[in-house]
Amino acid sequence: MVAAQQTPTFNNSIAPIAVYENVTKEAMGVISFLKYISTNRAVRSASIHATEALNEHGARMYMRRDVYESISAVYQNKKEMAQLQTEDRRLVDKTIQLFHNCGHGLEQGKAEIFNQITFRLNELESLHRRNMVEMVNNMWFTPIELDGLPEAFFEGRLMRTSKRGTQLMVTTDSPDYGDVMQYARNSETRKQMMFAYNIRCKENISILQETVDLRRKRAQLFGYRSHAAFMLRSQMAQTPD
């Protein structure tokens, strides 16, 4: 709809994108939240896939040249901009900045590299998110060590007998982790649980290393020395120094 406008204006080009952002962010909040709170692994997995689909759709929309040209036409229309209220002019500025962040304005060769980096970063983010949900550490605690947990926590839980007596299995899945950190009275139990939770997914180390490298390269395409400098340029701080 935005790209098809013969005479782009704030109302037919900028406003629809703002509405799109509001609607998708609201939906994203609900969908994404399920991967953190659902006790059903299938639901958490579906939440991840839906989040990835929405992210990819948004990324492709902001990479469209025809949409960018409509937004740019409004931004460069001095008469149109002069008639807008302060809030609306700021919205135009923010919208054009979003499109510039997606590689528009770069020369052809750099734009192609930018697109390759962006899609790879999206892949890495998705892989990182999946690992965080799917990689689970199992912990074993005695009932005394789990003192304070509600009765429902113990129902149907896997048990074993060891030299320490009867133990129950607790996973680093978000539901178990949240309950233990909130209700367990034993500080050592909470400490062990937090440690196990924070060292899970060692597979993500290489993903994070590649992400840092690609973000730096992306920032340098725009002439910035670091990802921090690139991201802060339009913020109040402006520079990381």
Side-chain angles (χ1 to χ4, degrees), residues 126-135 201 203-204 207:
S126 297
L127 185 56
H128 178 277
R129 189 182 295 115
R130 290 177 188 175
N131 286 344
M132 293 296 286
V133 171
E134 296 172 1
M135 299 297 178
C201 299
E203 296 80 1
N204 279 345
I207 292 175

Side-chain angles (χ1 to χ4, degrees), residues 161-179:
T161 301
S162 69
K163 294 180 180 180
R164 297 173 56 200
T166 300
Q167 292 180 303
L168 298 94
M169 189 179 80
V170 180
T171 74
T172 53
D173 263 352
S174 295
D176 278 8
Y177 175 76
D179 284 346

Side-chain angles (χ1 to χ4, degrees), residues 184-223:
R185 295 191 176 98
N186 190 315
S187 61
E188 184 61 27
T189 298
R190 298 195 303 273
K191 178 181 178 180
Q192 291 181 30
M193 193 67 182
M194 177 175 287
F195 183 77
Y197 183 82
N198 287 331
I199 66 169
R200 74 199 194 284
C201 299
K202 293 181 180 179
E203 296 80 1
N204 279 345
I205 294 176
S206 61
I207 292 175
L208 293 173
Q209 290 172 334
E210 184 179 354
T211 297
V212 169
D213 184 54
L214 289 175
R215 284 179 171 180
R216 176 181 54 79
K217 291 179 178 177
R218 182 175 63 180
Q220 290 174 344
L221 290 174
F222 288 88

